[in-house]
Amino acid sequence: MSNQEPTSPVVLRPRATGVTLHSWLYDEIRTAILQGRLTPGLKLPSRKALARQYRISVTTVVEVSEKLMAHGYLEAKAGTGTYVRRAVAAAPSEDRAPTAPAGPRPKGLSERGRLLASQPLPDLPGNHPVATFRLDRPALDSLSIETWNRIAGERRRGERGLELLAHGEPLGFPPLRRALADHVRRTRGIRCDAGQVVVTSGTQHSLDLVARLLLDPGDQIWVEDPGYTPVTSILRSQGAEVVAVPVDARGIDCAAGRRRCPLARLAYVTPGCQFPLGVAMSHERRRNLLQWATEAGAWVFEDDHDSLLPADRRPQTLHSLDRAGSVIYSNSFNRMLFPSLRLGFLILPPAFIEPAAAALSITQRYQPTAEQAALADFIVQGHFDQHMRRMRELYGDRRQTLIETGRAELGDLMTFSDSAAGRQVVGWLATGLDEAEVCRRAAARQIDAVALASLTLKRSLPPALVFGIGAADGRAIRTAIRRLGRVLRVLAWQTKGARPMQEKVPAPSTDGSWVQTRYPSEQRPRPQPQISGTPAGSSPLAPALSPRYR
């Protein structure tokens, strides 16, 4: 069948208020097929043409097409296009003219329930202590647990302790809100009053609250690619459409975001320490992002995780640069102290405080107060500042141990990023090594590094692993890297196509260019030649960008 075969137009009814783009497109095409407006064997317009016709993203069209094919309504023919299936399954009762009064609706999930059920967060490995490089585990052994227990015990004794057993407040424990307002002023240059601080259970809770307050089904959201995967689950569960925007050595590429979706409703970013690449957003990119938000009438959700860790630099927050009131600031103590604490916070514009209080009074009613009271004292008495100073030194040492040991043990098979921020390090594999197979074999040896591909949305990046540096001390890091070296050497020998580092595998540089690196012996200045047609000085991830980002 020729590719020039005429296509059948798809005429869809307008989308009703509150219906997601995904549900609307699926239901309309399905109904048109079942009602005979799209007859069996007809060829549909291309996915790009359908996206242009109804001003929706190609991603949405692709997802709906695949779902319709899985349910037996459409079929794809290689090299020709998509067709209405010739033997369509019988129409369900709600699509046929009823011959009897309709009965009760079958029991099942609501549309919102289906969205939630379809976006589970990625499974995390167990808490077994021997695994190394976990991304979700801080240095728990470094917390002054005696100090924390003493403060928590003092709070629970006497009449003050009885007060903590009563109902809390929806926005959080007032002394903690005051402590947090002072904390961000001192450490992050953010001017706000305690009334703008909202205590949550962490970043995911904060983003969920913001999505409930600010987003409608079908709204488009910029999300970093690669990035923090739970974000996409939260946003999609709210019916939002996630728009993947590439990240390079200067942070999120605002120009690419404008090309893909100039009128997005919100952008989720990690400007102080991008996850997982560890880069900080440049000042120019920060200004560009804020300018776009002002022009588009959009919001920026600033996740400032790990912002206090770099010992030599702490970039200014977007919130402190914002003059239009577009930035919502978020942070969490679950990563800075310990995960089971379940405390984070938001800084909202004053106009959103009452709506947030109303929303929280419905969704959780009252917050537990005892842990909030302990955290307030921990901050006010200066223990949190001391803890973060220890963490900066500890994580710096562990990062250096990982990189030095990696260069010595894996020099011809992996090169490490030189970012000094965050609690993770990216190791770029030699060309030809399959990162999924490396992860599988490493996991069998209690090495739980994460494949970079699992943290991407649309991009195709060079193979790499992401190592967490919080859960293991120097001895455990050295032992794990030696094990990983044996895994890589065996796999390289079996693959036989893997090119070692002497053939110069590209690695990202913080100046925004690709560099060519040899480890460990070569000490000459690193050249910056053209790679795959990309000029020196361009984005470090540009060679891996698919055409949609160029």
Side-chain angles (χ1 to χ4, degrees), residues 384-550:
F384 181 72
D385 289 342
Q386 295 175 9
H387 174 74
M388 292 313 299
R389 284 195 291 270
R390 291 196 301 271
M391 291 304 94
R392 284 193 284 273
E393 181 177 353
L394 177 67
Y395 288 135
D397 290 345
R398 291 183 177 182
R399 176 184 298 277
Q400 191 65 24
T401 298
L402 172 61
I403 293 175
E404 290 179 355
T405 306
R407 289 177 177 176
E409 298 287 338
L410 316 175
D412 59 341
L413 295 170
M414 178 179 286
T415 183
F416 292 87
S417 63
D418 54 3
S419 172
R423 294 180 303 168
Q424 69 281 336
V425 177
V426 178
W428 302 86
L429 288 164
T431 304
L433 288 177
D434 180 81
E435 61 184 7
E437 181 61 18
V438 172
C439 285
R440 188 188 67 79
R441 297 190 184 194
R445 292 162 177 78
Q446 299 298 316
I447 303 170
D448 52 1
V450 173
L452 181 61
S454 67
L455 304 176
T456 61
L457 292 171
K458 297 294 182 184
R459 303 182 73 184
S460 177
L461 298 175
L465 303 184
V466 185
F467 301 90
I469 58 174
D473 59 18
R475 180 178 179 181
I477 289 173
R478 286 187 285 270
T479 300
I481 288 295
R482 284 193 287 270
R483 290 179 187 167
L484 181 60
R486 291 193 287 271
V487 169
L488 294 180
R489 282 188 287 273
V490 169
L491 185 59
W493 178 81
Q494 293 174 341
T495 304
K496 301 193 183 300
R499 297 200 298 271
M501 287 301 295
Q502 54 262 33
E503 294 192 24
K504 296 190 174 183
V505 176
S509 168
T510 54
D511 65 2
S513 61
W514 275 87
V515 298
Q516 304 278 346
T517 309
R518 284 183 181 173
Y519 293 114
S521 59
E522 186 176 78
Q523 301 297 327
R524 297 192 302 273
R526 297 179 291 184
Q528 298 179 351
Q530 293 189 7
I531 301 175
S532 303
T534 303
S538 64
S539 162
L541 301 178
L545 293 181
S546 60
R548 65 172 63 90
Y549 288 123
R550 291 180 177 174

Side-chain angles (χ1 to χ4, degrees), residues 312-334:
D312 56 342
R313 58 180 178 84
R314 257 161 257 164
Q316 199 171 7
T317 63
L318 286 171
H319 193 285
S320 62
L321 296 173
D322 181 26
R323 298 295 177 265
S326 301
V327 177
I328 295 171
Y329 178 91
S330 171
N331 214 324
S332 172
F333 290 93
N334 304 326

